[in-house]
Amino acid sequence: MLVAETFKALGDPIRLEMIERLSDGSRRSVGSLFDGLGLTRQGARKHLQVLADAELVTLEIKGRQTEVSLDPTTLASAKSFIAGLELQWDRRLVALRDFVEKNDASG
Amino acid sequence: MLVAETFKALGDPIRLEMIERLSDGSRRSVGSLFDGLGLTRQGARKHLQVLADAELVTLEIKGRQTEVSLDPTTLASAKSFIAGLELQWDRRLVALRDFVEKNDASG
DNA sequence: TTAATATGCAACCGATTAGTTGCATATACT
DNA sequence: AGTATATGCAACTAATCGGTTGCATATTAA
């Protein structure tokens, strides 16, 4: 899975709200998940599908309702992508500091 | 700044490629940053503007060229947003484990 | 069995996005 | 001064997105 797709799925306030509602690990029916979002059920459903396609949430049919739960692994890989960038950045800072120390006339 | 906008800006392979090219802390002219991306300069420029609007990169005019550099703070706040979600998740796991231990008949 | 509940799918529409081409402009080199 | 370089801005188009309305369907309750 492309990490860009994960970020894209996270790039909307309504979808982030859904993720936050699920972040405590609870399972919710789609109906309760959509409550109070300020858009129609079908509109919310499209957002949910984006999260499902990005494998950020899992859908499971239980009788007449569908249960939604968070899949934390995709979220984790997005986080480590950013962490990887920051690692690069930190290496540069260390290299820069070493260079300054080595060439510091006052040392 | 809304974190959703940050994620949205990161949600594109070309923009991620630009971020990665800048992640070592180097400053690059827009021309060199756009090299080999497989789209026109103006197309790439639009992507760069999205990153700039989201405050993921900083643009600085230097003579006839514009220098681009990464702004790591926005990236960091995106990462901590995810970390916050994971913290919620972990709390749930701990609570669940405690519950199981307390109610474990074999204990 | 009839009715209510929970949900899905498709069509449609306006707004935004991603990309292009074309033109303008300022800086640097000769 | 004249030319090449590095860049920006605007207009246009096709595709995608975000949202709606309408209809279909399966499960549960009376």
XYZ file of all heavy atoms in Angstrom, chain A:
826
model
N 0.850 -1.221 0.000
C 0.000 0.000 0.000
C 0.876 1.258 0.000
O 1.843 1.372 0.747
C -0.893 -0.025 1.248
C -1.792 1.185 1.412
S -3.015 1.362 0.138
C -3.927 -0.170 0.393
N 0.516 2.201 -0.837
C 1.257 3.455 -0.885
C 0.937 4.321 0.328
O -0.228 4.500 0.674
C 0.906 4.226 -2.158
C 1.517 3.711 -3.457
C 1.076 4.594 -4.618
C 3.027 3.706 -3.345
N 1.971 4.849 0.924
C 1.770 5.702 2.094
C 1.039 6.984 1.702
O 0.297 7.548 2.509
C 3.117 6.001 2.795
C 3.976 6.910 1.949
C 2.895 6.582 4.177
N 1.214 7.423 0.458
C 0.506 8.617 -0.007
C -1.008 8.429 0.101
O -1.727 9.365 0.471
C 0.897 8.942 -1.452
N -1.471 7.246 -0.185
C -2.916 6.999 -0.091
C -3.401 7.087 1.348
O -4.497 7.585 1.621
C -3.265 5.619 -0.667
C -4.776 5.430 -0.808
C -5.159 4.069 -1.362
O -4.253 3.294 -1.744
O -6.357 3.777 -1.415
N -2.577 6.629 2.258
C -2.913 6.748 3.676
C -3.050 8.217 4.072
O -4.046 8.629 4.683
C -1.820 6.098 4.542
O -1.640 4.754 4.129
C -2.210 6.135 6.011
N -2.052 9.013 3.691
C -2.104 10.435 4.023
C -3.304 11.099 3.370
O -3.993 11.923 3.977
C -0.820 11.133 3.600
C 0.356 10.842 4.494
C 1.570 10.444 3.964
C 0.250 10.975 5.874
C 2.654 10.175 4.784
C 1.328 10.711 6.706
C 2.535 10.311 6.157
N -3.566 10.734 2.140
C -4.698 11.323 1.444
C -5.999 11.022 2.183
O -6.848 11.899 2.358
C -4.760 10.778 0.017
C -5.758 11.494 -0.863
C -5.617 11.032 -2.307
C -6.583 11.800 -3.210
N -6.452 11.391 -4.619
N -6.143 9.784 2.627
C -7.347 9.400 3.364
C -7.461 10.181 4.668
O -8.564 10.524 5.108
C -7.344 7.902 3.630
N -6.338 10.481 5.281
C -6.346 11.237 6.539
C -6.565 12.726 6.308
O -6.821 13.470 7.263
C -5.027 11.028 7.291
C -4.750 9.628 7.827
C -3.338 9.551 8.415
C -5.779 9.234 8.889
N -6.473 13.147 5.066
C -6.487 14.576 4.757
C -7.855 15.200 4.645
O -8.107 15.967 3.716
N -8.740 14.881 5.564
C -10.081 15.471 5.555
C -10.625 15.486 6.988
O -10.547 14.457 7.676
C -10.989 14.627 4.660
C -12.418 15.161 4.628
O -13.156 14.872 5.598
O -12.780 15.855 3.674
N -11.175 16.615 7.425
C -11.600 16.751 8.816
C -12.664 15.735 9.233
O -12.624 15.231 10.357
C -12.192 18.166 8.877
C -11.704 18.874 7.685
C -11.347 17.856 6.656
N -13.579 15.414 8.326
C -14.622 14.454 8.673
C -14.028 13.064 8.862
O -14.362 12.354 9.805
C -15.728 14.449 7.600
C -16.521 15.759 7.702
C -16.639 13.250 7.751
C -17.728 15.843 6.821
N -13.123 12.695 7.968
C -12.497 11.384 8.112
C -11.633 11.319 9.366
O -11.600 10.292 10.059
C -11.691 11.047 6.850
C -12.587 10.840 5.628
C -11.879 10.150 4.479
N -10.885 10.955 3.799
C -11.129 11.665 2.701
N -12.333 11.680 2.160
N -10.163 12.357 2.132
N -10.968 12.435 9.685
C -10.171 12.447 10.914
C -11.067 12.300 12.134
O -10.721 11.618 13.097
C -9.365 13.747 11.016
C -8.081 13.835 10.192
C -7.329 15.107 10.537
C -7.202 12.630 10.459
N -12.231 12.942 12.078
C -13.181 12.810 13.188
C -13.598 11.345 13.369
O -13.651 10.841 14.489
C -14.406 13.689 12.925
C -15.571 13.488 13.866
C -15.269 13.894 15.307
O -14.398 14.760 15.514
O -15.911 13.327 16.220
N -13.853 10.677 12.275
C -14.207 9.255 12.356
C -13.082 8.448 12.990
O -13.314 7.621 13.875
C -14.497 8.698 10.954
C -15.800 9.207 10.343
S -16.075 8.431 8.708
C -17.609 9.240 8.218
N -11.868 8.704 12.529
C -10.702 8.003 13.079
C -10.591 8.249 14.583
O -10.372 7.327 15.369
C -9.410 8.476 12.366
C -9.403 8.038 10.897
C -8.167 7.954 13.092
C -9.047 6.609 10.679
N -10.796 9.505 14.970
C -10.692 9.825 16.401
C -11.760 9.090 17.203
O -11.500 8.629 18.305
C -10.802 11.332 16.606
C -9.492 12.044 16.260
C -9.549 13.548 16.527
O -10.574 14.167 16.176
O -8.576 14.089 17.079
N -12.958 8.999 16.638
C -14.029 8.306 17.346
C -13.714 6.827 17.539
O -14.232 6.184 18.443
C -15.347 8.440 16.575
C -15.949 9.834 16.653
C -17.251 9.924 15.868
N -17.793 11.290 15.961
C -19.019 11.626 15.588
N -19.829 10.712 15.096
N -19.434 12.863 15.704
N -12.880 6.307 16.649
C -12.545 4.884 16.713
C -11.228 4.627 17.434
O -10.877 3.473 17.700
C -12.453 4.307 15.294
C -13.750 4.264 14.502
C -13.461 4.001 13.033
C -14.684 3.200 15.069
N -10.513 5.700 17.759
C -9.136 5.532 18.238
C -9.068 4.900 19.621
O -8.016 4.439 20.046
C -8.408 6.871 18.243
O -8.979 7.724 19.217
N -10.195 4.872 20.350
C -10.168 4.218 21.657
C -10.343 2.702 21.521
O -10.449 1.987 22.510
C -11.232 4.803 22.582
C -12.649 4.500 22.107
O -12.801 3.974 20.991
O -13.596 4.795 22.854
N -10.385 2.236 20.304
C -10.437 0.801 20.082
C -11.839 0.216 20.050
O -11.999 -0.976 19.857
N -12.837 1.064 20.215
C -14.211 0.563 20.225
C -14.671 0.200 18.821
O -14.169 0.725 17.825
C -15.140 1.620 20.817
O -15.140 2.778 20.008
N -15.639 -0.714 18.773
C -16.282 -1.022 17.505
C -17.608 -0.275 17.497
O -18.315 -0.250 18.495
C -16.571 -2.519 17.400
C -15.376 -3.398 17.677
C -15.776 -4.864 17.770
N -14.816 -5.689 17.044
C -14.961 -6.037 15.776
N -16.053 -5.698 15.115
N -14.041 -6.757 15.170
N -17.935 0.312 16.344
C -19.171 1.055 16.263
C -19.929 0.647 15.010
O -19.335 0.313 14.002
C -18.896 2.561 16.166
C -18.298 3.167 17.414
C -17.639 4.483 17.044
N -17.541 5.410 18.165
C -18.444 6.326 18.457
N -19.536 6.457 17.714
N -18.280 7.142 19.475
N -21.255 0.714 15.087
C -22.043 0.528 13.877
C -21.837 1.781 13.021
O -21.534 2.855 13.551
C -23.518 0.387 14.223
O -24.013 1.602 14.735
N -21.970 1.652 11.711
C -21.781 2.822 10.861
C -22.763 3.921 11.250
O -22.414 5.098 11.265
C -21.916 2.477 9.357
C -20.979 1.367 8.968
C -23.321 2.155 8.950
N -23.982 3.544 11.612
C -24.980 4.541 12.006
C -24.511 5.404 13.159
O -24.568 6.635 13.075
N -23.985 4.785 14.207
C -23.557 5.562 15.368
C -22.292 6.351 15.047
O -22.070 7.446 15.553
C -23.346 4.651 16.581
O -22.041 4.118 16.582
N -21.464 5.776 14.170
C -20.247 6.493 13.776
C -20.579 7.781 13.028
O -19.875 8.782 13.142
C -19.382 5.595 12.884
C -18.042 6.180 12.417
C -17.130 6.486 13.591
C -17.349 5.243 11.444
N -21.684 7.772 12.273
C -22.037 8.925 11.436
C -22.772 10.008 12.210
O -22.957 11.109 11.702
C -22.924 8.472 10.271
C -22.230 7.573 9.276
C -22.963 6.996 8.237
C -20.879 7.317 9.356
C -22.332 6.165 7.309
C -20.249 6.494 8.446
C -20.987 5.914 7.413
N -23.191 9.676 13.431
C -24.031 10.586 14.201
C -23.391 11.959 14.436
O -22.255 12.046 14.904
C -24.347 9.934 15.549
C -25.835 9.970 15.835
O -26.610 9.635 14.931
O -26.201 10.364 16.962
N -24.160 12.994 14.097
C -23.716 14.351 14.409
C -22.562 14.860 13.575
O -21.891 15.822 13.951
N -22.312 14.268 12.415
C -21.225 14.743 11.561
C -21.665 15.906 10.680
O -20.841 16.585 10.082
C -20.702 13.603 10.677
C -19.904 12.505 11.378
C -19.493 11.433 10.390
C -18.668 13.094 12.056
N -22.975 16.103 10.582
C -23.476 17.238 9.808
C -23.552 17.001 8.313
O -23.516 17.951 7.524
N -23.629 15.761 7.908
C -23.863 15.475 6.492
C -24.715 14.211 6.400
O -24.925 13.532 7.405
C -22.564 15.338 5.690
C -21.670 14.134 5.855
C -20.579 14.131 4.796
C -21.052 14.102 7.229
N -25.215 13.932 5.237
C -26.115 12.792 5.090
C -25.376 11.476 5.308
O -24.158 11.397 5.210
C -26.739 12.764 3.688
O -25.690 12.637 2.730
C -27.525 14.030 3.393
N -26.179 10.454 5.617
C -25.609 9.128 5.828
C -24.795 8.680 4.607
O -23.672 8.177 4.756
C -26.760 8.142 6.088
C -26.356 6.702 6.266
C -27.547 5.824 6.592
N -28.571 5.870 5.547
C -28.521 5.155 4.433
N -27.506 4.351 4.196
N -29.477 5.243 3.534
N -25.342 8.921 3.427
C -24.635 8.481 2.223
C -23.348 9.268 1.997
O -22.359 8.715 1.512
C -25.539 8.588 1.000
C -26.678 7.591 0.980
C -27.899 8.103 1.715
O -27.807 9.033 2.509
N -29.053 7.510 1.458
N -23.391 10.547 2.350
C -22.169 11.344 2.268
C -21.103 10.811 3.207
O -19.943 10.624 2.821
N -21.513 10.548 4.435
C -20.582 9.997 5.417
C -20.070 8.631 4.964
O -18.888 8.302 5.133
C -21.265 9.885 6.775
N -20.965 7.851 4.342
C -20.581 6.522 3.891
C -19.441 6.563 2.896
O -18.573 5.692 2.867
C -21.782 5.796 3.301
C -21.517 4.340 2.945
C -21.050 3.573 4.171
N -20.899 2.136 3.944
C -19.859 1.586 3.363
N -18.869 2.358 2.926
N -19.789 0.285 3.208
N -19.454 7.595 2.044
C -18.369 7.719 1.064
C -17.034 7.968 1.758
O -16.008 7.388 1.371
C -18.669 8.859 0.097
C -19.679 8.518 -0.971
C -19.497 9.486 -2.109
C -20.524 9.308 -3.194
N -20.292 10.298 -4.275
N -17.076 8.825 2.778
C -15.845 9.067 3.532
C -15.354 7.783 4.192
O -14.164 7.469 4.170
C -16.087 10.143 4.589
C -16.117 11.528 4.048
N -14.999 12.134 3.503
C -17.113 12.444 3.964
C -15.322 13.364 3.109
N -16.596 13.569 3.368
N -16.317 7.046 4.759
C -15.937 5.796 5.414
C -15.281 4.838 4.430
O -14.309 4.146 4.746
C -17.169 5.140 6.049
C -16.916 3.818 6.771
C -15.923 3.992 7.916
C -18.226 3.227 7.292
N -15.811 4.821 3.199
C -15.247 3.929 2.191
C -13.801 4.296 1.852
O -12.967 3.420 1.608
C -16.108 3.951 0.927
C -15.778 2.821 -0.037
C -15.972 1.446 0.603
O -16.974 1.210 1.269
N -14.998 0.560 0.456
N -13.522 5.602 1.853
C -12.151 6.044 1.614
C -11.226 5.489 2.693
O -10.133 4.971 2.395
C -12.066 7.588 1.585
C -10.614 8.047 1.519
C -12.840 8.144 0.397
N -11.670 5.560 3.945
C -10.870 5.013 5.046
C -10.704 3.501 4.910
O -9.626 2.959 5.172
C -11.526 5.350 6.391
C -11.571 6.836 6.762
C -12.335 7.038 8.055
C -10.162 7.409 6.873
N -11.779 2.839 4.477
C -11.712 1.383 4.313
C -10.774 1.011 3.169
O -9.958 0.093 3.303
C -13.113 0.820 4.071
N -10.857 1.744 2.048
C -9.977 1.468 0.910
C -8.510 1.667 1.288
O -7.625 0.981 0.766
C -10.339 2.373 -0.270
C -11.670 1.982 -0.913
O -12.164 0.873 -0.617
O -12.218 2.784 -1.697
N -8.260 2.633 2.154
C -6.885 2.893 2.597
C -6.480 1.951 3.718
O -5.387 2.082 4.284
C -6.750 4.342 3.060
N -7.376 1.032 4.056
C -7.115 0.054 5.115
C -6.844 0.698 6.471
O -6.090 0.173 7.278
C -5.967 -0.885 4.721
C -6.349 -1.770 3.535
C -5.210 -2.684 3.080
O -4.451 -3.147 3.940
O -5.100 -2.916 1.852
N -7.475 1.847 6.679
C -7.359 2.485 7.996
C -8.436 1.963 8.938
O -8.285 2.019 10.158
C -7.478 4.018 7.862
C -6.197 4.715 7.417
C -6.495 6.094 6.833
C -5.220 4.849 8.583
N -9.539 1.486 8.364
C -10.589 0.878 9.183
C -11.017 -0.446 8.547
O -10.785 -0.688 7.360
C -11.836 1.794 9.307
C -11.464 3.133 9.906
C -12.530 1.958 7.976
N -11.642 -1.264 9.360
C -12.143 -2.554 8.901
C -13.656 -2.580 9.068
O -14.168 -2.132 10.088
C -11.519 -3.687 9.742
O -10.100 -3.593 9.644
C -11.968 -5.042 9.243
N -14.353 -3.091 8.058
C -15.805 -3.204 8.119
C -16.181 -4.675 8.262
O -15.622 -5.538 7.580
C -16.438 -2.631 6.849
C -16.050 -1.198 6.484
C -16.812 -0.741 5.240
C -16.318 -0.270 7.646
N -17.137 -4.923 9.139
C -17.558 -6.307 9.369
C -19.075 -6.330 9.525
O -19.625 -5.663 10.399
C -16.873 -6.831 10.640
C -16.906 -8.328 10.803
C -16.134 -8.746 12.065
O -15.454 -7.875 12.650
O -16.239 -9.920 12.458
N -19.738 -7.075 8.673
C -21.197 -7.123 8.709
C -21.661 -8.016 9.848
O -21.229 -9.160 9.961
C -21.743 -7.645 7.365
C -21.373 -6.672 6.244
C -23.255 -7.830 7.430
C -21.715 -7.148 4.861
N -22.530 -7.452 10.681
C -23.080 -8.185 11.820
C -24.596 -8.026 11.784
O -25.119 -7.021 12.249
C -22.532 -7.611 13.135
C -21.103 -8.019 13.476
C -21.029 -9.409 14.067
C -19.614 -9.866 14.341
N -18.923 -9.055 15.361
N -25.262 -9.018 11.213
C -26.707 -8.915 11.097
C -27.093 -7.762 10.196
O -26.552 -7.634 9.101
N -27.986 -6.942 10.671
C -28.394 -5.834 9.800
C -27.509 -4.620 9.966
O -27.722 -3.601 9.329
C -29.862 -5.475 10.057
C -30.109 -4.740 11.331
C -31.564 -4.266 11.445
N -31.978 -4.176 12.829
C -33.215 -3.831 13.195
N -34.139 -3.575 12.295
N -33.524 -3.758 14.468
N -26.532 -4.706 10.823
C -25.616 -3.563 10.882
C -24.185 -3.932 10.556
O -23.794 -5.105 10.579
C -25.721 -2.804 12.206
C -25.643 -3.606 13.465
C -26.081 -2.746 14.649
O -26.836 -1.781 14.479
N -25.598 -3.079 15.823
N -23.409 -2.905 10.201
C -22.000 -3.085 9.850
C -21.146 -2.465 10.936
O -21.338 -1.296 11.260
C -21.700 -2.419 8.497
O -22.529 -3.001 7.487
C -20.248 -2.605 8.107
N -20.232 -3.238 11.465
C -19.379 -2.726 12.524
C -18.071 -2.217 11.959
O -17.450 -2.857 11.109
C -19.108 -3.821 13.569
C -20.258 -3.967 14.559
C -19.903 -4.905 15.709
O -18.874 -5.601 15.618
O -20.661 -4.937 16.682
N -17.651 -1.080 12.471
C -16.422 -0.438 12.018
C -15.408 -0.458 13.148
O -15.756 -0.170 14.298
C -16.677 1.024 11.624
C -15.457 1.606 10.934
C -17.916 1.149 10.761
N -14.170 -0.800 12.816
C -13.119 -0.697 13.831
C -11.842 -0.171 13.176
O -11.645 -0.294 11.967
C -12.871 -2.051 14.481
O -12.610 -3.029 13.498
N -11.000 0.425 13.982
C -9.756 1.004 13.486
C -8.730 -0.091 13.239
O -8.628 -1.045 14.008
C -9.215 1.990 14.533
C -8.049 2.876 14.125
C -8.475 3.855 13.045
C -7.524 3.640 15.333
N -7.987 0.040 12.148
C -6.843 -0.832 11.903
C -5.574 -0.025 12.194
O -5.176 0.814 11.392
C -6.852 -1.307 10.451
C -5.645 -2.179 10.122
O -4.721 -2.279 10.950
O -5.631 -2.768 9.037
N -4.957 -0.270 13.341
C -3.864 0.607 13.774
C -2.571 0.429 12.987
O -1.701 1.292 13.059
C -3.664 0.217 15.239
C -4.134 -1.185 15.313
C -5.229 -1.338 14.301
N -2.446 -0.643 12.217
C -1.159 -0.875 11.546
C -0.887 0.141 10.439
O 0.234 0.611 10.286
C -1.098 -2.299 10.946
O -2.157 -2.455 10.005
C -1.249 -3.345 12.031
N -1.938 0.494 9.685
C -1.742 1.468 8.619
C -1.347 2.824 9.199
O -0.460 3.512 8.679
C -3.020 1.604 7.788
O -3.429 0.313 7.361
C -2.798 2.487 6.578
N -2.013 3.166 10.288
C -1.696 4.403 10.985
C -0.237 4.395 11.434
O 0.481 5.394 11.296
C -2.621 4.514 12.198
C -3.179 5.858 12.625
C -3.666 6.671 11.445
C -4.306 5.643 13.622
N 0.191 3.259 11.936
C 1.569 3.142 12.428
C 2.572 3.331 11.299
O 3.615 3.970 11.488
C 1.772 1.790 13.099
N 2.258 2.802 10.112
C 3.236 2.933 9.029
C 3.310 4.370 8.528
O 4.370 4.831 8.099
C 2.927 1.954 7.895
O 1.743 2.311 7.247
N 2.183 5.090 8.614
C 2.230 6.519 8.272
C 3.136 7.252 9.252
O 3.946 8.098 8.851
C 0.825 7.118 8.291
N 2.982 6.921 10.514
C 3.822 7.575 11.516
C 5.292 7.271 11.281
O 6.140 8.161 11.349
C 3.419 7.144 12.926
C 4.027 8.045 13.997
C 3.725 7.580 15.404
C 4.524 6.345 15.777
N 4.437 6.042 17.232
N 5.606 6.018 10.949
C 7.031 5.720 10.775
C 7.588 6.310 9.489
O 8.793 6.577 9.421
C 7.340 4.227 10.892
O 6.342 3.444 10.350
N 6.728 6.545 8.524
C 7.213 7.270 7.343
C 7.733 8.645 7.749
O 8.835 9.053 7.367
C 6.096 7.406 6.305
C 6.511 8.184 5.084
C 7.135 7.546 4.023
C 6.295 9.551 5.009
C 7.526 8.269 2.900
C 6.685 10.277 3.883
C 7.305 9.622 2.835
N 6.938 9.359 8.544
C 7.366 10.677 9.013
C 8.610 10.562 9.882
O 9.548 11.356 9.753
C 6.229 11.370 9.794
C 5.025 11.603 8.880
C 6.714 12.695 10.370
C 3.848 12.283 9.560
N 8.626 9.536 10.736
C 9.791 9.347 11.603
C 11.057 9.147 10.776
O 12.129 9.640 11.126
C 9.564 8.161 12.529
N 10.933 8.439 9.641
C 12.068 8.232 8.755
C 12.594 9.532 8.180
O 13.805 9.752 8.093
N 11.685 10.415 7.796
C 12.094 11.723 7.293
C 12.836 12.498 8.377
O 13.872 13.119 8.130
C 10.863 12.527 6.855
C 10.058 11.977 5.680
C 8.792 12.801 5.494
C 10.891 12.000 4.408
N 12.289 12.426 9.577
C 12.910 13.167 10.678
C 14.293 12.614 11.014
O 15.185 13.369 11.403
C 12.006 13.106 11.912
C 10.754 13.962 11.748
C 9.795 13.852 12.916
O 9.820 12.802 13.597
O 9.042 14.811 13.159
N 14.450 11.313 10.828
C 15.756 10.703 11.076
C 16.795 11.292 10.132
O 17.901 11.654 10.533
C 15.654 9.186 10.891
C 16.905 8.379 11.229
C 17.307 8.581 12.677
C 16.685 6.899 10.946
N 16.426 11.389 8.844
C 17.306 12.017 7.863
C 17.706 13.419 8.319
O 18.863 13.807 8.289
C 16.588 12.143 6.520
C 16.403 10.859 5.781
C 17.687 10.428 5.106
O 18.331 9.498 5.568
N 18.085 11.127 4.054
N 16.657 14.132 8.720
C 16.851 15.510 9.151
C 17.832 15.577 10.336
O 18.756 16.400 10.363
C 15.489 16.102 9.550
C 15.550 17.517 9.974
C 15.770 17.987 11.238
C 15.405 18.666 9.145
N 15.761 19.346 11.242
C 15.542 19.796 9.971
C 15.167 18.840 7.783
C 15.442 21.087 9.482
C 15.069 20.137 7.287
C 15.207 21.237 8.140
N 17.651 14.687 11.294
C 18.506 14.693 12.475
C 19.951 14.378 12.118
O 20.877 14.980 12.645
C 17.992 13.679 13.509
C 16.684 14.131 14.128
O 16.363 15.326 14.010
O 15.980 13.286 14.722
N 20.126 13.430 11.202
C 21.481 13.096 10.772
C 22.187 14.324 10.213
O 23.352 14.553 10.486
C 21.444 12.000 9.706
C 21.436 10.601 10.298
C 22.000 9.611 9.291
N 20.942 8.944 8.550
C 20.391 7.780 8.920
N 20.803 7.174 10.008
N 19.437 7.238 8.207
N 21.447 15.084 9.429
C 22.021 16.293 8.866
C 22.451 17.257 9.978
O 23.524 17.852 9.931
C 20.984 16.960 7.947
C 21.319 18.343 7.506
C 22.501 18.358 6.533
N 22.571 19.627 5.842
C 22.681 19.750 4.532
N 22.760 18.674 3.782
N 22.730 20.947 3.972
N 21.622 17.389 10.982
C 21.943 18.302 12.077
C 23.198 17.849 12.818
O 24.057 18.668 13.150
C 20.773 18.386 13.065
C 19.545 19.164 12.591
C 18.611 19.420 13.771
C 19.946 20.490 11.957
N 23.297 16.541 13.036
C 24.479 16.009 13.716
C 25.727 16.273 12.883
O 26.746 16.749 13.393
C 24.311 14.490 13.973
C 25.634 13.884 14.406
C 23.237 14.249 15.033
N 25.632 16.001 11.587
C 26.765 16.219 10.696
C 27.191 17.680 10.711
O 28.380 18.004 10.737
C 26.401 15.783 9.276
N 26.203 18.541 10.736
C 26.476 19.974 10.733
C 27.176 20.386 12.027
O 28.139 21.151 12.019
C 25.152 20.727 10.589
C 25.227 22.122 9.994
C 25.663 22.034 8.541
C 23.878 22.818 10.093
N 26.697 19.842 13.133
C 27.285 20.180 14.428
C 28.744 19.689 14.487
O 29.647 20.411 14.901
C 26.474 19.518 15.539
C 26.796 20.050 16.934
C 26.356 19.046 17.983
N 27.004 17.746 17.775
C 26.553 16.597 18.253
N 25.415 16.558 18.917
N 27.217 15.477 18.036
N 28.961 18.458 13.992
C 30.319 17.921 13.972
C 31.240 18.792 13.136
O 32.370 19.065 13.525
C 30.311 16.493 13.405
C 29.660 15.512 14.376
O 29.370 15.927 15.520
O 29.442 14.358 13.992
N 30.723 19.225 12.001
C 31.529 20.061 11.109
C 31.922 21.354 11.815
O 33.072 21.782 11.778
C 30.744 20.371 9.839
C 31.443 21.300 8.900
C 32.401 20.805 8.009
C 31.171 22.660 8.913
C 33.065 21.663 7.150
C 31.835 23.519 8.051
C 32.780 23.016 7.168
N 30.943 21.966 12.472
C 31.200 23.229 13.166
C 32.251 23.025 14.264
O 33.196 23.788 14.399
C 29.907 23.808 13.768
C 30.218 24.961 14.713
C 28.976 24.270 12.655
N 32.092 21.934 15.014
C 33.040 21.666 16.098
C 34.452 21.479 15.564
O 35.418 22.020 16.092
C 32.613 20.409 16.872
C 31.515 20.710 17.891
C 30.984 19.449 18.556
O 31.508 18.356 18.245
O 30.048 19.560 19.361
N 34.572 20.694 14.473
C 35.889 20.393 13.912
C 36.578 21.644 13.377
O 37.791 21.754 13.375
C 35.734 19.345 12.788
C 37.024 18.637 12.429
C 36.814 17.652 11.294
C 35.761 16.603 11.661
N 35.573 15.607 10.583
N 35.760 22.587 12.868
C 36.334 23.776 12.245
C 36.244 25.018 13.129
O 36.506 26.118 12.674
C 35.635 24.051 10.912
C 35.885 22.938 9.916
O 35.311 21.865 10.025
N 36.785 23.183 8.986
N 35.893 24.815 14.390
C 35.743 25.954 15.279
C 37.128 26.409 15.758
O 37.841 25.706 16.461
C 34.884 25.540 16.479
C 34.617 26.717 17.412
O 35.141 27.819 17.133
O 33.900 26.526 18.404
N 37.518 27.625 15.376
C 38.842 28.163 15.706
C 39.016 28.351 17.214
O 40.135 28.324 17.734
C 39.060 29.499 14.994
N 37.914 28.511 17.926
C 37.988 28.746 19.375
C 38.194 27.452 20.146
O 38.458 27.479 21.351
C 36.729 29.435 19.885
O 35.686 28.486 20.043
N 38.025 26.263 19.453
C 38.046 24.996 20.149
C 39.409 24.670 20.685
O 40.301 24.238 20.159
